[in-house]
Amino acid sequence: MTAVFDPWSAEFVARPYPAYARLREESPVLWFEPSRQYLISRHEDVNALLRDRRLGRSYLHVATHEEMGRTAPPDYQEPFWTLNNNGMLDREPPDHTRLRRLVSQAFTPRRVEALRPYVQRLADELVDAFVAQGGGDLIAQVAEPLPVTVIAELLGVPEADRHLLRPWSAAICGMYELNPARETAEAAVRASEEFTEYLRALARRRKEDPRDDLVSALAAVEGLSEDELIGTCVLLLNAGHEATVNVTGNGWRALLQHPEQLAKIRANPDLLGPAIEELMRFDTPLQMFERWVFEDIEVHGVTIPRGSEVALLFGSANHDPAAFAEPEALDVTRRDNPHISFGAGIHYCLGAPLARIELTASFGALLAKAPGLRLVQDPLYKPGYVIRGLQSLEVSA
Ligand code: HEM
């Protein structure tokens, strides 16, 4: 069975869903030796384990690497791990609770909602320019610039520096793939050093001379160390665009390949909201999240011992017939849609409301302004499996 799961092959990354169906049916808990993880493929199990406090994204609050039977990462990777471990995503309670509460004080629903007209204006401008030139690469010209600009604007990263964010983020995200190569880790370490230095300087400037932005708001929050502030900003900047880019690309590819579904949204704009949820389910942008096991657990009769790592297959959970009627069909009218693309439990995506505002703005603008959108060539997926998206999406408009 392990042979059906091959996250390093381009064919699997392009079409992981048939393999998931076999995993769910035949081996819902499968030891996968190449990454030394248990693969969990059913919706019910992924959902339950995300909420189970016997598992977590980090174990360092309860045990050392040695006590968990693991080896510490090599010294040269220290800048990456320091940055990573200072964001809330890789912390567990009580630190996670404290960080999430502090960040929520600055990243308020009001601040996010207030961005809606700005996001819509930006989406309209990007789409107008795209249509005026007859189309092109939808990823480079619409999908990427929208969330990158929005999150940079929200945090207060000056316009002149924004070109730095994508390359730093891409290099850091290489570490979230399975078994990253030495060069990938080295690139992530370099990017972590540069990104940390950049944000340290920006945060210090904002502390002295605050503006109306999130870095200034976070710098003013009591109880957040400077390293935690930096870790939080990097997390927001990276998480704040990577998946949104891929939902836009994967989503438009799916719509253009299912013209009857696209026609339904064009005929009834009220379907835009449910359609975006369906696109996030149908071609899941983040295919897998991992958890460490703090004490022995049992899933379908398999004992998963303390110190193990489980790989929760979100893409598979989102295609489980036990949770979705006709899961392999794209159905923009789907109402009962408990997709798991924003996660569940204490790490549930903090940026989900902002992501929905951005996706509504960009899909809405393209629907309204590009009625003749067509695929020019069948797009290819990037090599990454965990953060799964298209290299480019060439369309005519
Ligand atoms: C469609 C776009 C997005 C998707 C699919 C997505 C998905 C996710 C998922 C699955 C998690 C939980 C990971 C886990 O449990 O291991 C998560 C966490 C997080 N996301 Fe998002 N995200 C998106 C957009 C955003 C945006 C726009 C922001 C910020 C502005 C953001 C910020 C965060 C943060 C800060 C966390 C950590 C929450 C915590 O640990 O408590 N995300 N996201």
Side-chain angles (χ1 to χ4, degrees):
M1 268 314 279
T2 60
V4 306
F5 184 77
D6 186 2
W8 298 284
S9 98
E11 292 75 31
F12 177 84
V13 170
R15 259 182 97 241
Y17 302 106
Y20 290 155
R22 285 199 54 198
L23 288 177
R24 282 191 308 269
E25 275 160 35
E26 295 171 38
S27 301
V29 182
L30 181 70
W31 171 250
F32 184 61
E33 180 61 31
S35 62
R36 306 194 56 75
Q37 294 170 317
Y38 290 86
L39 307 179
I40 309 289
S41 46
R42 290 189 185 163
H43 185 278
E44 188 188 3
D45 300 329
V46 170
N47 190 30
L49 293 181
L50 282 171
R51 297 163 195 273
D52 191 327
R53 303 301 305 284
R54 294 171 300 169
L55 296 86
R57 288 202 41 116
S58 162
Y59 50 73
L60 294 171
H61 62 303
V62 286
T64 61
H65 294 296
E66 293 70 28
E67 282 162 0
M68 280 292 268
R70 320 290 310 187
T71 43
D75 286 347
Y76 83 93
Q77 293 182 2
E78 190 273 332
F80 165 80
W81 288 107
T82 299
L83 185 60
N84 185 73
N85 296 351
N86 271 300
M88 78 182 86
L89 184 54
D90 278 292
R91 300 288 272 275
E92 287 296 310
D95 274 351
H96 173 265
T97 323
R98 174 177 60 88
L99 285 178
R100 186 153 171 141
R101 193 178 303 127
L102 291 176
V103 175
S104 304
Q105 277 172 26
F107 192 66
T108 57
R110 240 183 69 213
R111 191 186 277 270
V112 172
E113 192 49 46
L115 284 171
R116 195 183 285 274
Y118 164 73
V119 176
Q120 189 63 59
R121 212 168 47 244
L122 198 61
D124 286 342
E125 282 168 19
L126 289 167
V127 171
D128 282 338
F130 188 66
V131 172
Q133 66 184 39
D137 178 7
L138 188 80
I139 303 274
Q141 291 171 53
V142 180
E144 270 179 12
L146 181 71
V148 172
T149 309
V150 171
I151 197 69
E153 185 72 22
L154 183 68
L155 271 111
V157 174
E159 208 170 329
D161 302 336
R162 289 182 191 164
H163 65 282
L164 297 164
L165 300 176
R166 274 295 284 167
W168 279 337
S169 176
I172 288 172
C173 286
M175 283 297 269
Y176 304 128
E177 296 298 331
L178 289 169
N179 303 353
R182 170 91 193 201
E183 311 82 78
T184 307
E186 284 171 353
V189 167
R190 272 194 306 279
S192 302
E193 285 168 338
E194 291 171 14
F195 213 164
T196 299
E197 209 173 298
Y198 175 80
L199 277 165
R200 200 180 298 283
L202 181 66
R204 288 183 181 172
R205 285 207 306 276
R206 291 293 191 267
K207 209 174 174 110
E208 275 173 24
D209 181 14
R211 309 257 174 96
D212 182 21
D213 61 39
L214 203 55
V215 173
S216 304
L218 286 167
V221 159
E222 291 282 325
L224 198 64
S225 73
E226 191 174 73
D227 282 344
E228 287 170 343
L229 165 65
I230 294 166
T232 298
C233 291
V234 169
L235 173 64
L236 287 170
L237 286 163
N238 293 355
H241 77 271
E242 288 288 347
T244 317
V245 174
N246 293 337
V247 174
T248 314
N250 299 359
W252 272 103
R253 172 186 192 257
L255 282 179
L256 294 170
Q257 289 180 338
H258 295 80
E260 76 298 344
Q261 296 296 316
L262 182 53
K264 283 187 192 176
I265 319 176
R266 289 198 192 285
N268 179 5
D270 287 350
L271 286 178
L272 181 57
I276 287 170
E277 302 303 315
E278 172 66 349
L279 293 169
M280 290 186 57
R281 178 197 75 80
F282 182 73
D283 205 5
T284 310
L286 302 165
Q287 288 279 321
M288 187 195 96
F289 280 94
E290 293 152 334
R291 290 292 186 269
W292 295 104
V293 178
F294 305 148
E295 54 185 89
D296 294 5
I297 58 170
E298 200 182 297
V299 187
H300 298 296
V302 178
T303 300
I304 303 183
R306 169 184 157 90
S308 311
E309 196 177 29
V310 295
L312 307 174
L313 304 181
F314 280 31
S316 175
N318 278 344
H319 281 248
D320 187 340
F324 304 94
E326 292 197 59
E328 303 310 327
L330 177 70
D331 176 5
V332 296
T333 67
R334 194 184 290 275
R335 291 285 165 177
D336 185 15
N337 189 349
H339 74 70
I340 211 133
S341 297
F342 284 123
I346 64 167
H347 292 287
Y348 179 83
C349 179
L350 187 70
L354 178 59
R356 287 186 167 118
I357 289 175
E358 292 175 346
L359 293 167
T360 308
S362 75
F363 276 82
L366 279 159
L367 284 163
K369 294 169 186 282
L373 212 59
R374 271 200 342 273
L375 267 183
V376 170
Q377 65 193 49
D378 200 19
L380 295 176
Y381 283 89
K382 285 188 286 197
Y385 160 68
V386 175
I387 301 176
R388 179 167 169 279
L390 300 173
Q391 261 161 15
S392 61
L393 183 64
E394 294 293 336
V395 294
S396 65

